[in-house]
Amino acid sequence: MQMNWLSDQLLEIGGVRFDLVTGLEELHRMQSTENRFVLGKARIMVETIKALGAELGADKIFEIGIFKGGSTVLYDLLFEPSRLVAVDISRDEVPALSSYLRTNGRDGAVQLHYGVDQSDTVRLLEILGEEFPGRSLDLVVDDASHSYAGTRASFNAAFPFLRYGGAYVIEDWAWAHWPGDDW
C-alpha cells in the first residue's frame, strides 16, 4: 500500500495513521487506537524497512516485540503478508491491534503470541515450528529487549527458519548505550 507522509512524525497508510515517536517518555505514555497506532520508529527506519520488504517480497514475517502494535500493523499494511506472526513478553493483549485485525479480516493471517520471552528458545521454536513449518521466513524483525542475551537467544532460534536471501533485522539494539538522543 501507498505511504502518505503527513509529517516526519505522522504517517497514513490505507486510512490508518501512525504516530512516529522517538522519545522514551512519550513512547510509554501514548496509547494506540484501532485506527491510530504508536510506532516507536523514526521515518528513516520506516522507509528502510519498506524498501527491504519490497525487495524481499516479504510474505512470511516473524516479529519479536509487539509493544503497542504499531509495527505489526505497519508490516501488515505495507506487505500484506500471507503470514505474520508476532510475539511479545507482555501477557497483556493490545486491544487496538486485536480490533484492527478483526475489523480488517486479518486475524487469520496475523497471529499474536503474548507472554513469550525472546530468551525462551523452547517456546520460540515451538511457535516457529507451528507457524512456519516450511522454514521459509522472508523477514524477521527483532525489536524486543534490546539486550545481548535476549537478542542472541531469539536469533539462534529464528535464524534457521529464514529462507536463503531473507533478511534478519535487529532494530536499535544498542539504544541504551547511545549518548544524547535516545535514537
Side-chain angles (χ1 to χ4, degrees):
M1 269 192 197
Q2 184 66 31
M3 294 193 314
N4 180 22
W5 288 100
L6 304 173
S7 75
D8 281 343
Q9 291 80 36
L10 187 58
L11 169 64
E12 185 175 80
I13 305 173
V16 177
R17 289 193 172 187
F18 296 89
D19 289 298
L20 279 71
V21 180
T22 57
L24 290 179
E25 186 177 313
E26 187 179 19
L27 185 61
H28 286 279
R29 180 181 47 78
M30 292 179 71
Q31 296 301 316
S32 292
T33 64
E34 182 180 336
N35 292 309
R36 191 159 184 157
F37 285 86
V38 176
L39 188 59
K41 299 182 187 333
R43 181 174 179 160
I44 188 67
M45 295 169 78
V46 174
E47 297 281 0
T48 301
I49 199 77
K50 179 187 181 206
L52 177 63
E55 179 183 325
L56 293 172
D59 185 54
K60 295 179 183 169
I61 302 169
F62 185 58
E63 178 184 23
I64 306 166
I66 297 171
F67 194 45
K68 306 230 175 167
S71 56
T72 305
V73 175
L74 177 73
Y75 304 147
D76 187 50
L77 287 169
L78 285 180
F79 309 126
E80 300 176 23
S82 66
R83 195 66 159 168
L84 191 165
V85 175
V87 300
D88 198 89
I89 194 168
S90 174
R91 294 188 178 284
D92 299 331
E93 175 185 328
V94 178
L97 177 56
S98 298
S99 181
Y100 161 85
L101 295 174
R102 278 191 308 275
T103 300
N104 293 282
R106 296 296 291 159
D107 47 351
V110 180
Q111 295 298 308
L112 309 174
H113 295 268
Y114 294 102
V116 179
D117 187 321
Q118 80 173 121
S119 297
D120 186 348
T121 55
V122 171
R123 183 67 181 125
L124 287 178
L125 288 169
E126 218 173 69
I127 292 167
L128 287 160
E130 290 170 11
E131 301 284 2
F132 303 102
R135 293 183 175 235
S136 58
L137 279 169
D138 299 303
L139 176 64
V140 177
V141 180
D142 177 346
D143 191 15
S145 73
H146 309 291
S147 72
Y148 176 72
T151 300
R152 182 176 176 180
S154 55
F155 177 85
N156 287 338
F159 188 78
F161 285 81
L162 198 62
R163 69 167 171 81
Y164 178 80
Y168 198 107
V169 177
I170 301 171
E171 290 193 346
D172 48 75
W173 182 74
W175 67 268
H177 308 285
W178 298 339
D181 188 328
D182 297 324
W183 298 85

